[in-house]
Amino acid sequence: MNETELQKQLQAKVKKKLEPLFARYKMDFGGIDASLKWKPIVLIIGNYSSGKSTLINELVGQDIQRTGQAPTDDSFTIITSDKGVAMAETPGSTLVNDEKLPFGGFKQFGEKLISHICMKQISSPILENMAIIDSPGMLDATSEKDRGYDYMRVLGEFARMADLIVLMFDPHKAGTIRESYEAIRNTLPEKSGEHRIIFVMSRIDECDNLSDFTRSYGTLCWNMSQMTGRKDIPHIYLTYSPKVAKPEAVARDWPQERQQLIDKIKKAPSFRINHVLEDIDRQVNEVQIVAQAVAEVMRRGSALFWKYTNTTLFLAIALFLFGDMVLAGMLPFIDQTLIASLRGGTFEPATLIVPATLALAMLILGHLAFSKFAFRRLLKKSLANPSALVTLDSDYRRNLWRRMEDKVRQNLQVLKVGDLWRGYGRSLAKIDHFLGYDLKMYYEKIVS
Ligand SMILES: Nc1nc2c(ncn2[C@@H]2O[C@H](COP(=O)(O)OP(=O)(O)O)[C@@H](O)[C@H]2O)c(=O)[nH]1
Ligand SMILES: [Mg+2]
């Protein structure tokens, strides 16, 4: 089976098995759906005039993006292959409403953003199996307010969809990289997201000499170790534009360095199926922890329910058999008790009225005590300390919990007594099965 088929099959399975579960826990299935929907994506980000558009033009072999020193181009541009059309440009308003494309989620950021997204389709070999997204660069904080949408969150959303994120910076602004990195890091899967980001120092021909270059490189490394919190510095790709750079400013090894970057970008589609699996993995883990918390409340709720039921039943039977004896002295209309009537053979149906009323009253009382008092107290207690509902035995779980705690509260707040019989335990079992069996099987398939 090839990767496309595998992905199709996975998509069908995920939709059938997971969509109802996501809905049950009020979670957004859109994210999973989007990651399965479209072709591999390479996202290019970085400060303005770091050479993003120039690099893209060179990759696709056409001057499709405007370039220049001033921060002119302020749109997210999705560049991909045409289907026979010469040079089609599609506005954001069409893209976010196209069911076949994964951009529906951007509606939440508002009109202003939508008018700053577009798709350009051209024919170029590199675009046959991928799309490249050019992004507006970071500006300083004052102009950031004028954008009219939450740039960092939008960037995060694009990053979440991307199979490769190219973070570019030029030697003059090596210090500004941190913000972009932080905007995207949190949106990526905990365990593997790091591999999706590559760091690129561009315009290296503008370094006047070796010491100039070394200074920029050093600044960069320092910033990177600050932001990743790691001592080992990830590989930094170096590049320059052969069209713009003066030939005498290009050192001997640089063409090779640049080729490494291009090769890496061209390989992005081969990470696709892996990333799809990682994303599903991450999101199903999120729904799982919510399901675990809800199932635990329900488990405690049903234990409590049976405790109340047993006691209530016991009392109801006792009242049925002996209650009328206690009341006989006080209530003159009781002329024979149930037990006496059975012993003396004088039983008649009317003798049952008082015992049955007492037993029924007890059952109603028991039910009210459970639903109005005990169950509500359980919910209140659970909401006061929801982390006690799940096991948090690793950093991974604690992080996951931090992300999902609000979702758990949201789910607990609307639980009712009737939900005890709505199969929350079974839903959790289905999620566990998906993670432990289905997903594992797919991981094994792509390895083989
Ligand atoms: N010297 C030199 N200039 C470059 C290089 N790459 C881009 N430029 C110039 O830098 C300016 C900004 O480039 P652009 O691609 O528009 O940057 P963007 O804002 O990140 O898209 C343009 O004037 C480019 O010609 C490079 O490698 N070397
Ligand atoms: Mg640009």
Side-chain angles (χ1 to χ4, degrees), residues 48-49 51-54 65-68 72-73 134-137:
Y48 73 87
S49 86
K52 299 181 293 293
S53 303
T54 306
Q65 289 295 80
R66 266 200 307 173
T67 60
T72 42
D73 192 355
D134 194 2
S135 63

Side-chain angles (χ1 to χ4, degrees), residues 292-320:
Q292 282 169 343
V294 176
E296 177 60 18
V297 174
M298 287 313 177
R299 195 191 61 74
R300 292 180 190 182
S302 39
L304 208 57
F305 173 79
W306 288 114
K307 214 170 99 186
Y308 268 72
T309 304
N310 288 341
T311 314
T312 307
L313 272 179
F314 174 79
L315 290 174
I317 291 169
L319 280 173
F320 182 76

Side-chain angles (χ1 to χ4, degrees), residues 44 52-68 73 75-82 85-90 118-124 126-127 131-134 243:
I44 317 261
K52 299 181 293 293
S53 303
T54 306
L55 176 69
I56 291 173
N57 287 345
E58 287 170 8
L59 285 170
V60 302
Q62 292 181 36
D63 282 342
I64 182 153
Q65 289 295 80
R66 266 200 307 173
T67 60
D73 192 355
S75 283
F76 287 91
T77 311
I78 301 142
I79 303 158
T80 188
S81 60
D82 63 342
V85 206
M87 147 86 191
E89 201 169 325
T90 315
C118 74
M119 182 189 276
K120 292 181 182 172
Q121 286 170 285
I122 54 168
S123 73
S124 162
I126 197 175
L127 296 177
I132 300 178
I133 302 181
D134 194 2
K243 272 197 190 149

Side-chain angles (χ1 to χ4, degrees), residues 257-272:
E257 291 284 339
R258 178 178 157 77
Q259 193 56 45
Q260 269 188 34
L261 170 66
I262 294 172
D263 290 343
K264 178 77 182 178
I265 292 175
K266 284 185 173 160
K267 261 200 264 153
S270 64
F271 310 129
R272 175 62 167 189

Side-chain angles (χ1 to χ4, degrees), residues 170-172 201-217 248-250 254:
D170 57 78
H172 325 290
M201 183 152 113
S202 64
R203 300 176 65 165
I204 49 174
D205 56 290
E206 288 178 313
C207 298
D208 289 332
N209 49 46
L210 189 61
S211 78
D212 197 17
F213 173 81
T214 319
R215 201 166 22 248
S216 293
Y217 198 85
E248 64 272 21
V250 176
W254 287 1

Side-chain angles (χ1 to χ4, degrees), residues 33-44:
D33 222 19
S35 67
L36 284 164
K37 233 175 206 171
W38 208 46
K39 53 173 88 177
I41 293 173
V42 174
L43 172 67
I44 317 261

